[in-house]
Amino acid sequence: MASAKTKLRLQERVPLPRTAWKLADLAVLFLLLALLARRASSLVAAGGAGAAPACTWCWVAALICEAWFTVVWLLNMNAKWNPVRFDTHPERLAERTDELPAVDMFVTTADPKLEPPLVTVNTVLSLLALDYPAGKLSCYVSDDGCSAVTCYALREAAEFAKLWVPFCKKHGVKVRAPFVYFSERGGAAADDDDDVVEFLRAWTSMKNEYEELVRRIENAEEYSLVRRADGEFAEFVGADRRNHPTIIKVLWDSSNQDAAGDGIPSLVYVSREKSPTQNHHFKAGAMNVLTRVSGVVTNAPIMLNVDCDMFANNPQVALHAMCLLLGFDDDVHSGFVQAPQKFYGALKDDPFGNQLQVIFEKVVSGVAGIQGIYYCGTGCFHRRKVMYGVPPDNAAATTTSMKDSPSYKELQNRFGRSNELIESARSIISGDMFRIRTPTVVVPDLTSRIEAAKQVSACSYETGTSWGQEVGWVYGSMTEDVLTGQRIHAAGWRSAILNPDPPAFLGGAPTGGPASLTQYKRWATGLLEILLSRHNPILLSAFKRLDFRQCVAYLVIDVWPVRAPFEVCYALLGPYCIIANHSFLPKVTASEPGFLILLVLFLGYNVYNLGEYKDCRLSVRAWWNNHRMQRIVSSSAWLLAFLTVVLKTLGLSETVFEVTRKEQKSSSDGGADADDADPGRFTFDSSPVFVPPTALTMLSIVAVAVGAWRLVAGAGEEGVSGGSGVGELVCCGWLVLCFWPFVRGLVGGRGSYSIPWSVRLKAALLVAAFVHLSTRK
């Protein structure tokens, strides 16, 4: 009986063996501690011998930085220690279709220029065509750009979906984002299709329909749309993206079809109200508006959120998610279900270090074995009751009044003054989360709910409520996803990782220097905001229900921007010591144990990281690209994020949300535009983010030149007694290699491949100031 019961499980939690890697973790940790001990003992001995103050200062700075690197290593060890995976069995849901919960799907877009409407349309079409009862799916698109073109594109997509969705389900299409499907040479082939001629005719017709859809969307103009005679887009007349009333349009209503039918899911366009006098809280605010709007319209117990460029790559992704949401004995173990971020059309060998494959396979899989995977902001299935702040069944007694029988006044204080939202919240909090109600009873007509939806999407609706704090996506950070996930885990919920084959969702990774560093800067800014707030994981672990190891796992990413000053300081020690003729490294002698420890640590650490990349089926080139990007990002995006948050904390600046440009590429072209000569080469603009790494590159080149001249001319005789030596020269040479894209940008680039002269001038002034201070007696 036990065996039969096990075979019927919807999911299995499988621990992954990691013995050899644990031994390697400990070996590197031992070397780090040995280096700290050796450096500390050398400082004590040097102090007793009356060493030069400048030399002592260098060694103290190095000791502090190396101590920090040891802490970071410990944080990563904890995160990687117990990796797990979850195997899901969606085929076992075949006889449980009636038990499947409804799902509200959220797609967010913010700028029609940086996030083209065609990208959003492909994501929406892939979601509408999921293998899931259409009557139990509804798709909501949040347009923070308030663009008539985006709304028009979605309306056209709804019409195209009437052809696309039946075609996909009839022919078993595997990838249901049209731009991918029609770009693949194998697209014109279907499994289990006996009538090839009929299929090819249908395929050709569908491809022509899609090309016509693309033509209409790309030729659409804002000006002509809002002035059409039929007035369909009259609400967009005079609307400014930062100042406009709520616009909600039901583009397709499936509420009258059978819940288990094979029709088209509902599609709703939402552009929330904006006012210059109100704080809109970026993406977190948009997600909370979608949560409230869907709450008064369809009120599905499960919510899926994806970015506009993150299409559903696996048509059964919702069924895989339900295996985790329904497959545990209690809800606690699946407060949310997160799919790791993966990318389509990715450039070979990850030249910009933003595909994050090793992080997701090593760190995130390890975190999944503690209290659960991080919430990554896209590709995540949420329980609505969890987002409403409902604690798990075994929550502390102080919260049971909310869970058991919330009064109308409690719900009003928590969710706002909308009667419709209060009633829907009451049903979610006290009802059976996985029993679908007949849509014709709950929502007879979606258009009849538009006025209620507009009420809850007003920019002043949240005043005096718990939205953004205890309810919904949490405010206070540009990385609202990490902050919200921390709140959920701190309440006692766990999360599960969703990693089916093929991958659940695929998105586009930014290319070029500006887009990549903009993304890293935004992430780092939000993470440091979390670390300096009352929501930081240390406080959540001390006073709430965040597991200690989960707290430490959150610190792995929360400290990204804090790493910048330590890594930049350590990078500056080499050039400083060469220019000032001091030393911060043990001498290169066979009898010096400090040198041997440092050499073995350097080689061991890099071999360890290379081994991780090979274990993830990546090339040596990919390892090197990510290694050098780590150095570039820490001295640019992370450093500026650190300074930005410090200035904000002092009241001298405000953080600004920067949207990363989305580019749609077919999977057949390797992610490169046909007319782009070198898509993997680093590009530059005049942003301040490029000034620090450019200055560090110039400084390293100067230091290598000075150090090499000293060695050749024999001017380093005093190196025996404390001057710079081979170790410092090697460090500077290694920096030049790591910053090679900037070297090319200085001496061999044209156009966007060349560092702008404004950046060069600012960097040169910083270098001149550093050299002047280094040579002062």
Side-chain angles (χ1 to χ4, degrees):
M1 291 296 293
S3 176
K5 184 177 180 179
T6 302
K7 291 181 180 179
L8 296 177
R9 289 178 62 86
L10 296 176
Q11 58 79 27
E12 297 175 65
R13 186 180 189 271
V14 182
L16 303 176
R18 197 176 178 272
T19 304
W21 287 107
K22 289 180 180 179
L23 294 175
D25 289 337
L26 294 173
V28 174
L29 177 62
F30 173 79
L31 290 170
L32 284 166
L33 294 175
L35 177 63
L36 292 179
R38 179 61 186 174
R39 191 175 288 280
S41 63
S42 298
L43 275 172
V44 172
C55 179
T56 303
W57 176 89
C58 293
W59 279 64
V60 170
L63 176 63
I64 294 172
C65 292
E66 289 159 359
W68 169 254
F69 300 153
T70 304
V71 171
V72 172
W73 185 258
L74 284 168
L75 297 179
N76 280 275
M77 277 182 61
N78 167 75
K80 299 176 182 178
W81 201 253
N82 300 111
V84 300
R85 75 167 188 266
F86 288 92
D87 294 337
T88 50
H89 306 285
E91 69 280 358
R92 297 175 185 173
L93 286 170
E95 298 179 359
R96 301 175 60 177
T97 303
D98 293 340
E99 298 179 25
L100 293 176
V103 181
D104 287 338
M105 304 178 292
F106 301 156
V107 180
T108 52
T109 183
D111 189 317
K113 294 182 179 179
L114 297 178
E115 300 173 331
L118 190 58
V119 174
T120 304
V121 161
N122 271 278
T123 294
V124 169
L125 288 171
S126 72
L127 295 175
L128 297 180
L130 291 179
D131 287 334
Y132 203 79
K136 296 184 179 183
L137 292 177
S138 300
C139 184
Y140 296 80
V141 180
S142 170
D143 176 21
D144 263 8
C146 191
S147 168
V149 174
T150 300
C151 184
Y152 168 79
L154 291 169
R155 191 201 67 178
E156 294 297 308
E159 292 298 316
F160 177 73
K162 297 176 185 178
L163 303 173
W164 175 246
V165 173
F167 172 82
C168 290
K169 295 186 176 180
K170 177 180 179 180
H171 299 291
V173 173
K174 294 180 180 179
V175 180
R176 298 180 181 180
F179 85 100
V180 176
Y181 178 70
F182 291 118
S183 69
E184 294 177 342
R185 294 187 180 276
D191 297 333
D192 303 324
D193 198 323
D194 297 328
D195 194 344
V196 178
V197 175
E198 178 185 352
F199 169 74
L200 289 177
R201 186 182 299 114
W203 185 91
T204 303
S205 174
M206 190 59 56
K207 188 173 188 294
N208 292 336
E209 290 287 345
Y210 176 66
E211 290 174 348
E212 178 63 20
L213 172 69
V214 172
R215 185 193 64 79
R216 291 197 299 270
I217 293 175
E218 291 182 340
N219 292 337
E221 295 181 355
E222 195 93 13
Y223 180 85
S224 59
L225 285 175
V226 298
R227 284 164 175 77
R228 287 172 57 156
D230 57 12
E232 184 178 358
F233 299 97
E235 293 173 274
F236 292 93
V237 176
D240 181 84
R241 60 177 298 179
R242 297 178 180 84
N243 187 16
H244 63 86
T246 297
I247 301 175
I248 298 178
K249 291 183 177 294
V250 178
L251 303 177
W252 178 253
D253 185 353
S254 67
S255 58
N256 293 322
Q257 69 186 20
D258 181 17
D262 294 325
I264 313 301
S266 298
L267 178 60
V268 181
Y269 170 89
V270 179
S271 184
R272 57 181 172 142
E273 182 185 12
K274 290 284 190 71
S275 170
T277 62
Q278 296 285 337
N279 189 339
H280 304 295
H281 304 290
F282 311 122
K283 182 180 175 181
M287 293 303 303
N288 283 339
V289 168
L290 288 180
T291 302
R292 294 195 296 271
V293 169
S294 65
V296 301
V297 177
T298 48
N299 201 33
I302 304 299
M303 304 182 295
L304 163 66
N305 89 278
V306 296
D307 289 343
C308 65
D309 66 329
M310 191 69 64
F311 65 85
N313 181 64
N314 187 327
Q316 291 196 320
V317 59
L319 295 174
H320 283 283
M322 294 312 146
C323 289
L324 295 170
L325 291 166
L326 301 172
F328 292 95
D329 294 334
D330 55 62
D331 296 349
V332 176
H333 293 278
S334 54
F336 62 86
V337 174
Q338 174 69 61
Q341 291 192 35
K342 299 186 178 182
F343 304 97
Y344 66 89
L347 295 175
K348 184 180 179 182
D349 298 328
D350 193 11
F352 302 103
N354 51 23
Q355 295 173 26
L356 307 178
Q357 184 172 338
V358 172
I359 289 180
F360 276 107
E361 289 198 28
K362 297 296 182 180
V363 176
V364 175
S365 294
V367 176
I370 308 176
Q371 199 173 347
I373 184 175
Y374 309 124
Y375 169 37
C376 300
T378 181
C380 187
F381 291 83
H382 308 268
R383 295 182 188 271
R384 188 181 288 267
K385 70 177 180 182
V386 173
M387 297 307 295
Y388 280 178
V390 177
D393 293 338
N394 60 345
T398 55
T399 61
T400 56
S401 61
M402 180 66 195
K403 182 179 64 174
D404 292 341
S405 55
S407 68
Y408 185 87
K409 184 65 175 177
E410 287 175 318
L411 292 173
Q412 189 178 61
N413 291 337
R414 195 170 181 85
F415 297 103
R417 295 183 175 276
S418 166
N419 293 332
E420 291 84 354
L421 182 60
I422 290 174
E423 288 306 315
S424 69
R426 188 194 298 276
S427 68
I428 289 293
I429 293 171
S430 59
D432 184 347
M433 305 306 300
F434 292 106
R435 295 293 176 179
I436 182 66
R437 298 173 177 82
T438 305
T440 54
V441 175
V442 179
V443 186
D445 183 5
L446 298 189
T447 56
S448 67
R449 300 298 182 98
I450 288 183
E451 289 306 314
K454 286 185 175 181
Q455 178 188 356
V456 299
S457 57
C459 55
S460 60
Y461 181 82
E462 295 178 352
T463 304
T465 69
S466 296
W467 287 98
Q469 299 300 322
E470 299 175 7
V471 176
W473 275 254
V474 183
Y475 302 150
S477 170
M478 294 175 69
T479 51
E480 76 295 323
D481 47 0
V482 176
L483 185 56
T484 302
Q486 285 184 177
R487 176 183 69 80
I488 294 171
H489 284 135
W493 294 97
R494 305 179 74 87
S495 57
I497 186 171
L498 174 65
N499 202 8
D501 184 23
F505 301 94
L506 293 180
T511 59
S516 299
L517 295 185
T518 293
Q519 184 181 67
Y520 274 113
K521 181 176 179 289
R522 185 176 70 245
W523 288 346
T525 300
L527 293 170
L528 189 55
E529 288 173 335
I530 294 173
L531 201 59
L532 297 180
S533 73
R534 62 186 179 87
H535 300 292
N536 77 74
I538 298 174
L539 293 178
L540 295 180
S541 179
F543 299 104
K544 293 195 176 181
R545 304 180 63 196
L546 188 68
D547 289 353
F548 175 74
R549 286 193 60 203
Q550 187 76 11
C551 160
V552 177
Y554 270 113
L555 289 176
V556 170
I557 57 173
D558 285 351
V559 301
W560 276 4
V562 182
R563 293 169 58 176
F566 293 97
E567 294 194 16
V568 171
C569 175
Y570 205 73
L572 289 173
L573 284 175
Y576 171 81
C577 288
I578 289 179
I579 294 170
N581 201 24
H582 295 305
S583 174
F584 81 103
L585 295 174
K587 295 304 172 186
V588 184
T589 61
S591 60
E592 173 56 59
F595 164 72
L596 293 176
I597 293 173
L598 198 62
L599 177 62
V600 174
L601 176 60
F602 175 78
L603 295 175
Y605 174 80
N606 283 289
V607 168
Y608 176 97
N609 277 279
L610 176 59
E612 285 193 319
Y613 278 82
K614 297 301 291 183
D615 194 43
C616 294
R617 304 162 302 284
L618 298 174
S619 66
V620 175
R621 180 80 177 187
W623 162 76
W624 172 249
N625 287 338
N626 279 264
H627 177 81
R628 65 174 175 80
M629 279 303 298
Q630 172 69 56
R631 309 283 76 77
I632 292 172
V633 169
S634 65
S635 64
S636 57
W638 289 358
L639 181 62
L640 261 66
F642 179 83
L643 296 176
T644 297
V645 176
V646 169
L647 292 175
K648 176 188 175 184
T649 304
L650 297 176
L652 301 177
S653 176
E654 286 292 333
T655 55
V656 178
F657 187 86
E658 300 171 279
V659 179
T660 306
R661 179 178 294 277
K662 306 296 191 300
E663 299 177 8
Q664 183 166 288
K665 310 178 184 69
S666 70
S667 59
S668 62
D669 63 11
D673 296 332
D675 58 348
D676 196 335
D678 192 357
R681 186 170 173 181
F682 215 87
T683 54
F684 305 90
D685 61 19
S686 57
S687 169
V689 77
F690 291 105
V691 175
T694 302
L696 195 52
T697 303
M698 292 179 173
L699 187 60
S700 299
I701 293 173
V702 170
V704 168
V706 172
W709 176 80
R710 282 204 182 121
L711 286 177
V712 172
E717 295 289 338
E718 60 180 309
V720 177
S721 60
S724 62
V726 175
E728 287 75 17
L729 182 60
V730 170
C731 283
C732 293
W734 187 257
L735 280 177
V736 171
L737 291 177
C738 290
F739 287 89
W740 193 252
F742 285 79
V743 176
R744 295 182 68 184
L746 286 170
V747 300
R750 293 182 180 180
S752 62
Y753 298 130
S754 176
I755 298 176
W757 282 102
S758 60
V759 173
R760 299 185 191 207
L761 178 60
K762 295 171 185 175
L765 291 174
L766 289 176
V767 171
F770 184 87
V771 171
H772 173 70
L773 293 175
S774 300
T775 54
R776 289 180 61 185
K777 299 296 184 182

